[in-house]
Amino acid sequence: MADDRRRVLVEVQGVAKHYGTGDARVDALRNADLKVHAGEVVALLGPSGSGKTTLLNIIGCIIDPSEGRVSLDGERVFDNRWLRHDLRRLRLDKIGFIFQAHNLLPFLNATDNVALVLQLAGKSREQAQARAHELLEYLEVGHRARAMPALLSGGEAQRVAIARALANSPRIILADEPTAALDSTRAGIVIDLLRRLAAEQDACIIAVTHDDKILDRFDRRFFLRDGRLVPNSADAG
Amino acid sequence: MNLALRDVRHNLFRFVLTCLGLGLLMTVVLAMMGIYNGLVADALNIVKAPQADIWVVEAQTQGPFAEASAIPGATRDAVARLHGVAQAGSLTYQTVEAPFRDRTLRLYVIGYERGRPGGPQQIAQGRGLEAGHFELVADIKTGLVPGDTLVLGRKRFTVVGLVRDTMNSGGDPAVYITLADAQVLQTQLAPPAARVQAARGATAPAGPTVAAVIARLDPNVDPQTVAQTVRQWKHLSALTQAEQEDILVRSVVDKARKQIGLFLGILLTVSAVVIALIIYTMTMEKLKQIATLKLIGAPDRTIVGLIVQQSLALGVAGLGLGLVLILLVKDVFPRRVLLEPVNVVALTGIILVVCVLASGLGVRAALRVDPATALGS
Ligand SMILES: Nc1ncnc2c1ncn2[C@@H]1O[C@H](COP(=O)(O)OP(=O)(O)O)[C@@H](O)[C@H]1O
Ligand SMILES: [Mg+2]
């Protein structure tokens, strides 16, 4: 259950996104409102093309909205037409992204893929390596620390990608179908892992998913239909 | 961590292959530069070898390299007597073909007076001419070795020594023989008609002729003053060493030089395009990874560094390989391939500029890429 006394990490107000103009105009997202608190694990559901990725990418500062307000961890990043400019730094510090395709850099081994974001954030080589190892151990892929991404199994690669998303202890973790490449059991394990992280790091997690079997593991569920966001009736209140 | 290096290591085989290709291209560019220099240096060498200050040649000619020149053999005495002249020597130049074993050698025969200026400078192997007749010193590129004999005109000559880098502007290697032998060779090889005329004594020239007389001056004597004196003599003209070199470069070498220069220009352009293409393709293939880098928050500096460092590495490796290859094969070329450090420096400069410009194209594409493109599966 949402606890309004807790800190609001993600606040989306009246956000809309449309692509193209005139007849070619697509309203990917209309007037979406969303508040996610620290420690919460939230699911985004909806049919294909309903705007889930669009919403997630707006929260992740990967695309900018056409209208509305977005605040992350108390900081305005989009206010109607005003957009904070160093979004990449913000992403590095506050947001951890877990993509559907793991998006590991093929030329770096598992450890270095994780260490890279730590070094980009200003950690020394040694610090970065140590923390990367620690994270990989924590995600139970420590034994694959030296392996190149091409040699990792789907599940291993996804864990390394999660380790990377968590490296800088972000307050906001966004996951676009993180379990699509996994079977239900493994998917459950990953979500449980994310829940544990949210609790331990006081972070929030927003995950897009299709998998009905893992829905009960989320604190709240939001449905998207034709770009409109509707909270699940069971969670409303 | 250095992303450029990691990426290269990950795709090492391809990178090495690309460097190899580029290296071969650089070898060709360096070879062309070397040939260009060699051509000029060889042509000048034959003029520089006698270490003369003044060249006395036939009036109204730019002999003996750019035009035929024939002056009376007695000219040398007259020149030697001039005030300020330390030494003078007569020289003849002629191109002959001589059978040797199963080949025909095309030789640039230089006749000179032993003990006077104009002979071979540095003997690389064997010795200089000691007998008055039938000995020769050959350029190493003739393929002759001391002890070989070959027939020039109607006489058999013995090779007694070898010199290096002595040839005419056409690339025919030189052989040195005595002036006396050279003059005999001249009459033996003269056109039959001329020989008949000479036999009849109809228009007999006043004794044997030479192509040029060279003079070395006393210290502090101005070559122009001496040349001016000679120019007042009937039928004779005089060139200073500097003028002679200038004529050679302008009249004899110039066309060949332009030809090679133009080709070099084309080659450099092709190299630039190839390098630009390689680097651009290299970047385009990495666009998705670059989008990922942006997505995880890497600054532009990191992305630009990745591209620029890789393209510079490629350029430097290619150039290094080209340099090693050309140094290995340069002596196989039939003509001299002369690489000056300044050429290598210039080419390095050009390649570095090309690499930076080419990576500019890649960088532009990389900075434009939308981080969201990394998300498409
Ligand atoms: N870059 C784009 N240009 C034009 N239309 C887009 C673009 N991205 C998404 N859309 C459209 O916006 C709608 C929502 O897409 P998306 O957010 O990817 O849906 P989901 O992730 O729920 O499948 C779709 O109709 C899609 O075609
Ligand atoms: Mg989607």
Side-chain angles (χ1 to χ4, degrees), chain B residues 8 11-20 278 281-282 285-286 314:
Chain B
V8 165
N11 293 309
L12 193 61
F13 179 70
R14 233 190 67 179
F15 186 80
V16 167
L17 218 58
T18 311
C19 284
L20 198 70
I278 291 175
T281 322
M282 232 161 66
E285 281 173 359
K286 271 201 278 291
L314 191 74

Side-chain angles (χ1 to χ4, degrees), chain A residues 52-53 176-177:
Chain A
K52 305 182 296 292
T53 298
D176 197 353
E177 309 199 26

Side-chain angles (χ1 to χ4, degrees), chain B residues 66-327:
Chain B
E67 285 179 279
S69 158
I71 56 177
T75 309
R76 194 250 299 154
D77 285 332
V79 172
R81 277 195 299 269
L82 278 176
H83 177 73
V85 171
Q87 282 178 296
S90 301
L91 288 171
T92 63
Y93 295 95
Q94 53 195 317
T95 306
V96 302
E97 295 209 335
F100 177 70
R101 303 213 174 119
D102 50 350
R103 309 173 274 152
T104 300
L105 295 177
R106 198 175 155 79
L107 303 171
Y108 189 52
V109 179
I110 304 172
Y112 76 102
E113 298 174 282
R114 281 182 309 135
R116 295 185 180 278
Q121 286 304 299
Q122 280 197 323
I123 303 290
Q125 201 183 325
R127 57 171 174 84
L129 303 186
E130 278 168 12
H133 290 290
F134 314 134
E135 284 187 345
L136 68 78
V137 168
D139 185 86
I140 217 155
K141 289 244 157 123
T142 54
L144 298 168
V145 293
D148 281 344
T149 64
L150 93 160
V151 174
L152 294 177
R154 277 180 231 126
K155 300 290 183 212
R156 181 165 285 276
F157 287 74
T158 306
V159 180
V160 296
L162 297 177
V163 291
R164 282 184 202 284
D165 299 332
T166 313
M167 64 193 70
N168 67 6
S169 60
D172 306 322
V175 299
Y176 288 94
I177 59 176
T178 61
L179 184 71
D181 286 347
Q183 284 169 332
V184 171
L185 186 62
Q186 215 159 24
T187 48
Q188 282 167 355
L189 297 178
R195 259 184 288 160
V196 171
Q197 293 247 322
R200 279 186 192 147
T203 53
T209 64
V210 298
V213 169
I214 55 168
R216 288 184 194 154
L217 303 182
D218 289 325
N220 302 326
V221 176
D222 177 25
Q224 275 301 351
T225 323
V226 181
Q228 210 49 53
T229 314
V230 175
R231 282 179 199 133
Q232 283 158 8
W233 296 353
K234 227 179 173 184
H235 309 307
L236 292 181
S237 175
L239 302 162
T240 64
Q241 177 69 17
E243 286 167 345
Q244 183 67 271
E245 289 180 16
D246 194 49
I247 286 172
L248 203 76
V249 170
R250 264 190 300 109
S251 64
V252 183
V253 195
D254 208 41
K255 276 226 179 65
R257 201 164 75 150
K258 269 188 191 143
Q259 180 101 341
I260 296 179
L262 190 67
F263 185 61
L264 188 61
I266 294 172
L267 214 53
L268 278 174
T269 313
V270 170
S271 311
V273 171
V274 168
I275 292 174
L277 210 64
I278 291 175
I279 291 168
Y280 188 67
T281 322
M282 232 161 66
T283 313
M284 295 319 270
E285 281 173 359
K286 271 201 278 291
L287 276 190
K288 183 153 178 188
Q289 292 159 32
I290 287 166
T292 303
L293 278 170
K294 286 187 177 181
L295 216 50
I296 61 177
D300 287 346
R301 176 164 33 91
T302 306
I303 293 160
V304 172
L306 171 69
I307 298 167
V308 173
Q309 284 167 22
Q310 270 188 5
S311 73
L312 288 181
L314 191 74
V316 168
L319 193 67
L321 196 69
L323 205 56
V324 169
L325 283 178
I326 193 65
L327 290 178

Side-chain angles (χ1 to χ4, degrees), chain A residues 1-22:
Chain A
M1 287 297 270
D3 179 352
D4 273 2
R5 282 166 304 172
R6 302 197 70 171
R7 183 154 168 200
V8 177
L9 287 183
V10 175
E11 187 165 13
V12 172
Q13 286 175 281
V15 164
K17 177 73 184 177
H18 50 82
Y19 295 103
T21 51

